Amino acid sequence: MDNNVARGLKEDFPILKSCTYLDSAATTQKPRQVIDAMSRFYSSQYANIHRGVYKLSQEATMLYEDAHTEVADFIGSEQDEVIFTRNTTESINLLSYTLHEILPKRKEIVLTELEHHSNLVPWQQFAKRHGMKLRFIPLKKNFTLDYGAAEKLISRNTALIAVNHVSNVFGTINDVERLVSLAASKGALSVVDGAQAVPHKRVDVKKLGCDFYAFSGHKMLGPTGIGVLYGKRELLGKMPPFLTGGDMIRSVSFDSAEWNDLPMKFEAGTPHIAGAVGLAEAIRYLQKIGMDEILSWERTLLKAALKQLKGRKGVFIYSPGTEKSSGILSFNLQGVHSHDVASILDERGVCIRAGHHCAMPLMSKLGITGTSRASFYLYNTLEDVKRLVSGIEHAQEVFA
Ligand SMILES: Cc1ncc(COP(=O)(O)O)c(C=O)c1O
């Protein structure tokens, strides 16, 4: 990809005519192709799935099942190992209510200091319910994880590791393959929070070797309300269901029920069918460009921003550097609250995030209340970076 290609892609996103959008780590904008696919589905293909004998319902069922296949091919899994949830948060909560029956009977869960609340609070609650303890792989000064410490922390006492693949605060790409393999060598299970990874880089869950992997559709050009939980078939088969009711059963009597095959066992009730259709279209869009191209373009944008901001007086940057990162730029301006930076940029039509980024423990570790965060995606251009840098310079002048 280059700047001309990015400019061209921008044309696919109607909303980008009205703003410079640099908050894709929070959620991404949607291309016409995704909006049209969902509109087409509601206008001419819509019916409930798995129930109707009529053609319309059978076609809707096919679209919903094809979306599982599209996701499975995208992440290198089997179709029945892909469970549709609402988002990453629900995928992790699903695990936190069903994993206890298959975890080794040990006392510790290992996380990192870099977790989003979605991959922390569910495990805090899990640990309370099951009398377990959380331990944390520490962050180093260069904004990467301390793998030496991880080697000591992950032990025969570890029942589970739950780690993020890419940090939503720094963009750091963590070596989850190493952590997962370490966990497996000690007989522990592994959960990977891939909310910031799948939208930005190639992910192959079989290659990673993890037991479970979670991500959200809305962060990868898809609609809100559809997320994914990948799980190894043999583990999902042994786990109890999370929600019970319609669609997740094979047969029901007055006093008991038998569970359906995967993935239906974990998809109780009428799912977000249009969301699945939109997500499949989003994946086709991403694949047309290529995930390696996307990551490389994000890094080009990050590099351009870092070149103009690094070393600038009063600018503190929280980044492991482009080679270890996706397109996320967290920073603070001396003497200026991150919310004020975001407000000043907003006056110029530049949307960035400010605050704790749902990582409050990490903020306390850094001794700050928050950062400003610009996050780049495939539809951002070098002109967007220019507007960001100029807005930052303006904020510094206003607060000088
Ligand atoms: C690393 C990470 N994990 C989990 C989440 C939660 O995602 P969702 O709100 O889609 O459930 C986010 C959202 O920002 C995130 O960045």
Side-chain angles (χ1 to χ4, degrees), residues 331-352:
F331 62 94
N332 269 319
L333 303 185
Q334 198 173 9
V336 193
H337 195 281
S338 60
H339 283 158
D340 291 331
V341 179
S343 296
I344 285 188
L345 281 157
D346 183 43
E347 283 169 15
R348 298 175 155 219
V350 180
C351 311
I352 64 160

Side-chain angles (χ1 to χ4, degrees), residues 111-316:
L111 313 179
T112 80
E113 288 183 339
L114 277 178
E115 299 314 322
H116 187 283
H117 296 162
S118 292
N119 195 35
L120 168 59
V121 182
W123 301 120
Q124 289 175 343
Q125 296 300 106
F126 183 92
K128 276 189 192 140
R129 285 196 297 275
H130 299 285
M132 296 172 80
K133 200 171 165 231
L134 300 185
R135 307 201 66 190
F136 296 90
I137 301 169
L139 175 72
K140 291 204 298 188
K141 284 202 167 59
N142 64 1
F143 307 108
T144 66
L145 290 174
D146 185 338
Y147 294 97
E151 303 258 348
K152 294 191 189 106
L153 275 171
I154 300 172
S155 72
R156 293 267 161 213
N157 296 325
T158 311
L160 172 75
I161 68 162
V163 295
N164 69 94
H165 197 166
V166 174
S167 157
N168 66 311
V169 180
F170 309 132
T172 311
I173 300 176
N174 298 313
D175 188 351
V176 285
E177 201 167 341
R178 180 168 172 186
L179 296 175
V180 162
S181 129
L182 196 55
S185 74
K186 305 291 179 188
L189 293 185
S190 54
V191 173
V192 180
D193 169 358
Q196 298 293 345
V198 173
H200 305 280
K201 69 189 289 293
R202 197 143 35 108
V203 170
D204 182 327
V205 290
K206 295 286 173 195
K207 195 157 158 262
L208 283 180
C210 57
D211 295 305
F212 302 96
Y213 196 101
F215 56 101
S216 298
H218 70 95
K219 291 183 192 287
M220 48 189 290
L221 309 182
T224 53
I226 185 103
V228 174
L229 174 67
Y230 154 79
K232 282 184 180 161
R233 185 186 289 135
E234 64 274 23
L235 296 177
L236 291 171
K238 286 185 206 149
M239 283 151 57
F242 173 41
L243 301 173
T244 53
D247 239 26
M248 53 76 64
I249 46 81
R250 176 172 301 131
S251 69
V252 183
S253 66
F254 277 117
D255 48 21
S256 69
E258 262 180 59
W259 314 139
N260 210 338
D261 294 334
L262 293 170
M264 279 94 83
K265 174 181 165 187
F266 289 100
E267 293 182 354
T270 301
H272 188 7
I273 314 164
V277 169
L279 176 59
E281 192 63 34
I283 290 175
R284 285 190 282 274
Y285 189 96
L286 291 171
Q287 279 181 318
K288 231 186 261 168
I289 301 160
M291 297 314 292
D292 292 345
E293 285 288 307
I294 291 171
L295 180 62
S296 157
W297 179 241
E298 288 183 25
R299 285 174 165 171
T300 302
L301 296 171
L302 179 62
K303 207 173 189 173
L306 285 174
K307 193 168 163 213
Q308 295 172 72
L309 292 172
K310 238 181 168 173
R312 197 181 156 85
K313 199 159 169 253
V315 181
F316 189 84

Side-chain angles (χ1 to χ4, degrees), residues 1-2 15 43 75 90 105 165 189 254-255 274 314 323 340:
M1 266 188 77
D2 60 22
I15 208 170
S43 313
I75 61 169
E90 187 174 274
K105 302 286 167 242
H165 197 166
L189 293 185
F254 277 117
D255 48 21
E323 290 314 304
D340 291 331

